[in-house]
Amino acid sequence: MKSIADEISLLITTYNNPNFLDIVLKSVLAQRVLPKEVIIADDGSGQPTHELIQQYQKIFPVPLLHAWIPDEGFRASKVRNVAVAQSSGQYIVMIDGDIVIGPTFIQDHRMLMKPGRFVTGSRARLMQKATEALCRKKTHHVSFWNPGLRRRLVLLRIPFMHYLIKGNSGTKRARSCNLGVWRTDYIKVNGFEEKFIGWGFEDWEFVQRLYNIGLVRKNAKMLAPAIHLFHPYKNASRAEINEQMLHHTRESKKTRAEIGIDQYL
């Protein structure tokens, strides 16, 4: 019987990619320490994703919840808020539906969670042919020596080295694909800003508001390894508008989302 981190809810965003979600869920099942629950934040996926989640719900050793919203375009901010509102853990660990996590991922985030800070992690990149091969095999296993792997040093887990490497500051490489935050802090900043629609900068803006309430960033260097599966880039037509909203949050020291999680609590 595996141990369970009763404090942690794992949130996985997804949209119409059951092949990736299947691999990601397999990597969750392989955790040495499981989260207390897994919540699929589903931005409007169709029936194949629903059926996959139902299959996994039958075998998952912890609750597997499905937070779904209708498909109205890229609404990652909204679906994260809906999912977190359904969570029961004290601490939220977020990944995207294209992130395969190493077996110590939850264990490492549990070690890093401390009041007054949030945690950001890195991810290696699996290139297109290697990702396609992984999907054909339907496996989550990726080794350090896997062909087609970029930024493979991210997969090195050396806990004592973690304390010697500071990592990035500000919003640089602070992405929601590997992010840990206390639920109370998430609610304090009113979650993700739902004025962000389309791809781009909604996670940086969220992190900036965490800074604006006085939290400290901790980088999970040499811990919590993860791998990003290849996919074509999202439609970035809203990126410029979204970046302007990020700049406004920095300059105004904004702390709360105007349209946020409070509407679902």
Side-chain angles (χ1 to χ4, degrees):
M1 183 73 178
K2 291 186 179 182
S3 62
I4 294 175
D6 288 327
E7 315 91 335
I8 295 178
S9 297
L10 177 65
L11 188 152
I12 306 171
T13 55
T14 194
Y15 172 69
N16 275 337
N17 199 331
N19 290 333
F20 278 14
L21 184 59
D22 178 38
I23 294 170
V24 172
L25 288 174
K26 284 175 178 172
S27 73
V28 176
L29 286 173
Q31 293 298 293
R32 294 180 188 173
V33 176
L34 291 164
K36 75 170 295 187
E37 63 187 1
V38 177
I39 307 173
I40 309 296
D42 187 348
D43 193 11
S45 297
Q47 192 62 25
T49 295
H50 287 252
E51 291 175 357
L52 177 73
I53 294 170
Q54 289 170 357
Q55 291 170 13
Y56 270 98
Q57 284 173 330
K58 296 174 183 177
I59 64 170
F60 237 69
V62 296
L64 177 61
L65 310 178
H66 187 192
W68 181 88
I69 62 173
D71 185 359
E72 298 174 346
F74 190 98
R75 297 291 189 276
S77 292
K78 179 181 180 69
V79 76
R80 289 189 188 110
N81 287 341
V82 169
V84 172
Q86 296 182 21
S87 68
S88 61
Q90 302 172 42
Y91 194 79
I92 309 297
V93 174
M94 286 177 264
I95 62 173
D96 290 339
D98 53 16
I99 297 294
V100 178
I101 57 178
T104 64
F105 188 83
I106 296 298
Q107 176 183 338
D108 291 344
H109 269 282
R110 190 185 206 187
M111 182 177 69
L112 292 167
M113 52 187 268
K114 286 191 171 58
R117 75 185 189 191
F118 63 96
V119 174
T120 62
S122 302
R123 73 268 197 267
R125 289 179 173 274
L126 201 62
M127 296 296 100
Q128 183 173 1
K129 289 184 178 180
T131 296
E132 290 169 353
L134 202 71
C135 289
R136 285 194 299 271
K137 295 176 182 176
K138 297 186 177 181
T139 179
H140 66 282
H141 295 292
V142 179
S143 75
F144 181 84
W145 304 109
N146 206 97
L149 189 63
R150 301 289 183 269
R151 302 184 71 237
R152 66 181 69 235
L153 291 179
V154 170
L155 296 188
L156 292 177
R157 182 180 183 269
I158 311 175
F160 81 89
M161 286 289 292
H162 163 75
Y163 299 99
L164 304 177
I165 303 174
K166 181 179 179 181
N168 296 307
S169 59
T171 56
K172 185 177 181 181
R173 291 187 176 174
R175 298 183 177 93
S176 55
C177 61
N178 188 346
L179 179 65
V181 61
W182 291 94
R183 191 176 190 273
T184 51
D185 290 330
Y186 189 103
I187 293 172
K188 187 173 183 179
V189 300
N190 203 21
F192 279 79
E193 175 58 80
E194 294 184 22
K195 291 169 66 177
F196 281 80
I197 56 175
W199 178 88
F201 300 101
E202 83 286 344
D203 44 4
W204 288 22
E205 195 270 347
F206 172 75
V207 164
Q208 184 61 55
R209 284 185 283 112
L210 295 179
Y211 277 125
N212 291 350
I213 64 170
L215 298 187
V216 175
R217 174 180 176 179
K218 179 67 173 176
N219 293 289
K221 293 294 184 182
M222 297 294 172
L223 294 170
I227 300 156
H228 178 263
L229 302 177
F230 174 88
H231 59 79
Y233 284 104
K234 304 280 187 183
N235 184 336
S237 60
R238 284 273 307 186
E240 185 175 346
I241 296 172
N242 289 354
E243 188 173 15
Q244 290 174 359
M245 288 194 285
L246 166 64
H247 291 322
H248 172 73
T249 295
R250 283 177 178 159
E251 293 167 3
S252 67
K253 305 296 183 184
K254 172 182 172 180
T255 59
R256 285 182 55 82
E258 295 174 38
I259 307 174
I261 192 174
D262 56 356
Q263 62 191 305
Y264 312 117
L265 296 174

